[in-house]
Structure formats: structure tokens, C-alpha cells
Amino acid sequence: MCQLLGMNCNVPTDVQFSFTGFAQRGGRTDHHADGWGIAFFEDRGLRHFVDHLPACESPVAELIRRYPIKSRNVIAHIRKATQGAVNLQNCHPFVRELWGRYWVFAHNGDLKDFRPRLHGNFHPVGGTDSEHAFCWLMQELAKSHADVPSVDELTLTLRELAPRIARHGTFNFMLSNGQALWAHASTNLWSIERQHPFTLAQLADEDLSMDFAQHTTPDDRVAVVVTAPLTTNETWVPFAPGELRVFENGRSKG
Amino acid sequence: MCQLLGMNCNVPTDVQFSFTGFAQRGGRTDHHADGWGIAFFEDRGLRHFVDHLPACESPVAELIRRYPIKSRNVIAHIRKATQGAVNLQNCHPFVRELWGRYWVFAHNGDLKDFRPRLHGNFHPVGGTDSEHAFCWLMQELAKSHADVPSVDELTLTLRELAPRIARHGTFNFMLSNGQALWAHASTNLWSIERQHPFTLAQLADEDLSMDFAQHTTPDDRVAVVVTAPLTTNETWVPFAPGELRVFENGRSKG
């Protein structure tokens, strides 16, 4: 199964520590070697990296481990191909524009028989069920709102739409428009919210720890959502099946 | 003024030699230090890199100089801000999806009073006249064809649309959907088509030469389009004002 990582913060924060552990799952500590991708919002702009090489070998992943890109909203994905070939157009996260904002989506899980006709303005470029589901989500969001709605309004719409896809299989997904991070679990998702007083964290996938107290101010808030907990000495909160959480300014909005 | 670089080939080719000279113009040999970007098609997939740092200093540009990404269609841009702030959402090239294909666009020049109302499905994320023009082009392409048309049909449509924008200022642009590269000049664009027998080329912006004969096969064809010739010992062909050229399989289609 694929791996998802999302981060939402109140100030631009680099994701190097979490990404370092996460990238090890792309072929080294776990079997997700069919490509990977990551998207960083910077204000309304977006850096989007995808690679069909395993994340643990990719020169692009190496760049991201070394170059501290700071962002308030990040979504990363490591792929284990279940549907669709191993190629660049099938690497998550996927990006579309709606209402003058970029939207980033990544999915973990299999959807069976979910190929609704897409009558709107969003069509998949690759062959995955995931991109098809994303295009349907964007189409339905575009039909539900005339312009970019508030985070709370979007959450209400997503709470209606997500179950319509999730009944077709496993639909763990993350979505961001640069304002907030939405995460929905069918099976495996865990989140943590880090805030003052920050502590030392120990990566589960690599012999590396970080004392967040040395890299943060007392006002910083960082939420991290992931398929399986990244650290061994923090308390990660599991999602219930069917749960949708939204994070804004590093804090869950419940 | 900004700098544009495009490459279209019949087999996946790396752009490192041309990009090395081109990236020097991003703050070192010329004054284009307000960010840069590059997009590489791989089949229908896309690698898209943008950075607000000058191309000659950017760690992402350094990655591209060292990591031989092979592509049949590449568009790169170095920005000198004339409209819009220096930030990520204003860096070219811009990307949108239409008919299940990604479309990449970069522009050099100023457009005055070209802010048509966008009533379709494409809206700018940043504040540049360039992205506004791209969104209008995509809107009009979407209205002109029901599905992805042939390269020749697209060329006909673009020959109608480009002058409607170009009358508002300087509209040197490049556009690709991964099948072909379209380039339109108001003022400065030059192209070259390299083919067997390949020769040694000397970069104009850096003391570097490459013997293409050692890196190619007799069947390879590579077209390069650029704001100002990249090499000193090859014959670059200037565009006439208002000329649109389309390149497919490394060859101009006239």
C-alpha cells in the first residue's frame, strides 16, 4: 500500500526531518518503490516534485532532504502501484487549478468500480483510479461553490463527497489548497500536533532524532498526518474509519 | 526582459548543455534574477520546477544541471519581473490540464491592457499578465475544440488566437502539450534544428563546448528555440515578427 505524509503549520516550516524518515519507506524500510512525489505550497504558489525512481534513490528526493524548503502546507506520497503503470503521469500528488488556486491531492488505497463519467473540466492525464477520483472531487467542488469557499464550507462539502467515493474501497486521502490540509481515512492515518513545549523526537525509520525546541519558537504549531507514525516517542492519534480531519494553522479544526 | 528556452526532439534528450548556458543568464551574464522555471514532459507526465531564487544560484537549477532528465519537450524561463511580485506563483512556466493533457506555457514581454474577462475554467493563481494571457488561451482552445485536436488543428487555432493577444504588446511565448512545441515571436526568438552530422557547439554564456556527435545517433533530431542564440558557432534562424512555428519530432512543421 502507498504511504501518505501531510504537514500543516502556522508558520512556514521545513519538512526535512519527517521527509527523511518517510523517504526511507520508498524502497528501503518498506516496499513502496514505484515512484513518489511531494508538493509544497508557498503562499499561493506551488513546488511540485514527482519522480518514478524509488524515493530512497531519487536525486530529487536527495535535493529535498538537503534543501530546506519552508512551507505551511505539504503533501507527499510514496507509491506502491496497484492500478496504473509505473510512470511519471501516475505519480501522486496530482495538481489542478480551480477558482485561481492550486489544489493538491494524494491517495492511498484501492477503489473498485469507481469510474464515474467526468462531465466537467477535470480529466485524468494518467491511468490511476486515484487521479480519476481527484478529478471527480474537483468537478463536484466546482459544482457546489461559485467561488473559493471558506475552509469550513469546503469541509462540509468534502464530508458529503468523501463517503461517496469511500464506499468503493479504501480512500485514505490528503487534499490542500494552500490554506488548509484535509485528511480522510478509510483505514490507516495518524496525526500529531506539535506545539510548545517542543521535545526531542526519534525517527522510527532511521537512526535520527531532532530536538524541535532548538528549531522552533513558542508560537509555532505544526500538524503532521501520516499513514504510520514516523516517530517512536510521541503520541500519534489514529483516525477512525470514515473520519475527515481538517488542519489550519497547525491545528485540527475538529 | 525575460529569457525563454524550448526544446523539442524525436527521442528523449537531456537539456543540460543548453540549460547550463541559459541558466547563466539568470543573474550572472545577464540581468534576469527574479526567479526561473523549467518543465519537462515525460510521455504525458510532467516534471515542473520553479524557484524564486536566481537560476545561477538556485539549488534546484544545480540539480537540473547535474541530473540528466531526458525529455522530448522542454520549456524553461528566466524571469525579469515587469508585472507582478517576485514570488513562486508568478514564476513561469505555468501549467494547466485540458482534455486529459498537461499544457505548459511561458512568456517573454509586456502586455498592456490585456485583461479580458475569464468566463471559462482557467483562472490565474498569481498576478502576472502572462498567466492571464495563458488562461485566456486555454479558455479559447477549450471553446474551439471538443477534445484534444491534432497538432495541425491546434496550430491553426493558435495562429488565430496569438495575434489577438500580440496586438496588446510583446508576446514571445512557448506552449507545449507534450506532443509538440509551439513558439510565437513578437520580437526576439531564434531556433535551430540539429541533426546528423552533429558537430561541436560552443556555448556563448560559459566556456563550455559539447561534441553532439558523441552523444547522439544518426536518427536524432533536436530543435531548440531561445530568446538569444545559445552558441557562437551554429546558424540560428531568427523569427519574423508575428511568426508562429511548431516543432514536432525535432522538426519544424513550417
Side-chain angles (χ1 to χ4, degrees):
Chain A
M1 196 154 62
C2 308
Q3 295 267 337
L4 291 170
L5 168 68
M7 185 179 74
N8 169 272
C9 321
N10 65 338
V11 293
T13 304
D14 82 59
V15 73
Q16 283 173 296
F17 176 74
S18 294
F19 185 75
T20 297
F22 183 68
Q24 295 305 310
R25 297 180 185 173
R28 191 166 302 165
T29 62
D30 207 342
H31 308 287
H32 308 94
D34 298 328
W36 65 283
I38 188 166
F40 302 83
F41 278 94
E42 285 184 29
D43 187 16
R44 298 163 74 97
L46 191 70
R47 296 179 193 268
H48 178 222
F49 301 90
V50 280
D51 204 347
H52 60 279
L53 289 175
C56 67
E57 294 170 15
S58 158
V60 187
E62 181 62 21
L63 169 86
I64 289 162
R65 279 194 291 269
R66 293 182 182 281
Y67 179 30
I69 297 171
K70 294 198 170 195
S71 171
R72 291 179 54 202
N73 285 284
V74 177
I75 292 178
H77 183 272
I78 296 175
R79 184 159 183 249
K80 169 70 188 158
T82 51
Q83 291 189 29
V86 177
N87 56 32
L88 202 60
Q89 61 262 41
N90 285 342
C91 289
H92 309 220
F94 302 103
V95 182
R96 292 294 187 275
E97 175 263 313
L98 174 62
W99 303 310
R101 279 210 167 255
Y102 295 122
W103 297 75
V104 171
F105 172 89
H107 168 224
N108 155 331
D110 254 339
L111 298 171
K112 306 217 185 311
D113 308 318
F114 184 72
R115 292 273 168 169
R117 188 168 160 270
L118 297 169
H119 54 263
N121 309 309
F122 303 94
H123 295 275
V125 173
T128 63
D129 52 351
S130 305
E131 193 185 8
H132 200 101
F134 176 41
C135 289
W136 183 83
L137 263 186
M138 295 305 292
Q139 165 186 298
E140 298 301 310
L141 286 180
K143 276 161 44 180
S144 303
H145 304 277
D147 201 342
V148 59
S150 70
V151 168
D152 290 341
E153 287 173 308
L154 276 164
T155 303
L156 286 176
T157 307
L158 288 169
R159 284 200 208 284
E160 286 171 15
L161 297 175
R164 292 169 60 186
I165 303 178
R167 74 171 69 114
H168 294 269
T170 308
F171 193 47
N172 304 309
F173 80 82
M174 294 192 194
L175 176 75
S176 180
N177 65 351
Q179 297 178 296
L181 173 71
W182 289 269
H184 175 271
S186 288
T187 51
N188 299 315
L189 272 189
W190 304 70
S191 72
I192 195 168
E193 294 176 43
R194 297 188 179 119
Q195 58 180 307
H196 185 78
F198 289 92
T199 55
L200 186 121
Q202 175 66 46
L203 275 186
D205 297 83
E206 190 160 271
D207 184 14
L208 186 69
S209 60
M210 176 175 275
D211 184 0
F212 287 116
Q214 294 189 6
H215 300 270
T216 51
T217 72
D219 296 330
D220 291 4
R221 294 189 65 100
V222 178
V224 178
V225 189
V226 72
T227 307
L230 285 169
T231 56
T232 52
N233 63 336
E234 298 179 295
T235 305
W236 293 76
V237 184
F239 282 55
E243 185 176 357
L244 178 81
R245 290 185 196 161
V246 52
F247 301 88
E248 192 175 17
N249 294 316
R251 191 187 301 249
S252 170
K253 296 192 79 174
Chain B
M1 197 155 66
C2 309
Q3 296 266 338
L4 291 169
L5 169 68
M7 186 178 76
N8 168 271
C9 321
N10 66 339
V11 293
T13 303
D14 82 62
V15 74
Q16 284 173 294
F17 176 72
S18 295
F19 185 74
T20 297
F22 183 69
Q24 295 305 310
R25 297 179 185 173
R28 191 167 301 165
T29 64
D30 206 341
H31 308 286
H32 308 93
D34 297 330
W36 66 282
I38 190 166
F40 302 83
F41 278 95
E42 284 185 29
D43 186 15
R44 298 163 74 95
L46 189 71
R47 294 178 194 268
H48 178 224
F49 300 90
V50 281
D51 204 348
H52 60 278
L53 289 176
C56 67
E57 294 172 16
S58 157
V60 186
E62 181 63 21
L63 169 86
I64 289 162
R65 279 193 292 270
R66 294 181 181 281
Y67 179 31
I69 297 171
K70 295 200 172 196
S71 172
R72 291 180 54 202
N73 286 284
V74 178
I75 292 178
H77 183 272
I78 295 175
R79 184 159 182 250
K80 169 70 189 158
T82 52
Q83 291 189 29
V86 177
N87 56 34
L88 202 61
Q89 60 262 41
N90 286 342
C91 289
H92 309 218
F94 302 103
V95 182
R96 293 294 187 275
E97 174 263 313
L98 174 61
W99 302 312
R101 278 211 167 255
Y102 295 122
W103 297 76
V104 171
F105 172 89
H107 168 225
N108 155 331
D110 253 340
L111 298 171
K112 306 211 186 312
D113 308 318
F114 185 73
R115 292 273 169 170
R117 188 167 160 271
L118 297 168
H119 54 264
N121 310 309
F122 303 95
H123 295 275
V125 173
T128 64
D129 52 351
S130 307
E131 192 185 9
H132 201 102
F134 175 43
C135 289
W136 184 83
L137 264 185
M138 296 304 293
Q139 166 185 297
E140 298 302 310
L141 285 180
K143 275 159 47 177
S144 303
H145 304 277
D147 202 341
V148 59
S150 70
V151 169
D152 290 341
E153 287 174 308
L154 276 164
T155 303
L156 287 175
T157 307
L158 288 169
R159 284 201 209 284
E160 287 171 15
L161 297 175
R164 293 170 59 185
I165 303 178
R167 74 170 67 112
H168 293 271
T170 308
F171 194 48
N172 305 308
F173 79 82
M174 295 191 192
L175 176 74
S176 181
N177 66 351
Q179 296 179 296
L181 173 71
W182 289 268
H184 175 271
S186 289
T187 52
N188 300 314
L189 272 188
W190 304 71
S191 71
I192 195 168
E193 294 177 41
R194 297 188 180 119
Q195 58 180 307
H196 186 76
F198 288 92
T199 56
L200 187 122
Q202 176 64 45
L203 274 188
D205 296 84
E206 189 161 273
D207 185 16
L208 187 67
S209 61
M210 177 176 274
D211 184 1
F212 287 118
Q214 294 189 7
H215 300 269
T216 51
T217 73
D219 296 330
D220 291 4
R221 294 189 64 100
V222 178
V224 178
V225 189
V226 74
T227 306
L230 285 169
T231 56
T232 53
N233 64 335
E234 297 180 294
T235 304
W236 293 77
V237 184
F239 282 55
E243 185 176 356
L244 179 81
R245 291 185 194 160
V246 52
F247 301 88
E248 192 176 16
N249 294 317
R251 192 185 302 247
S252 170
K253 298 193 78 176

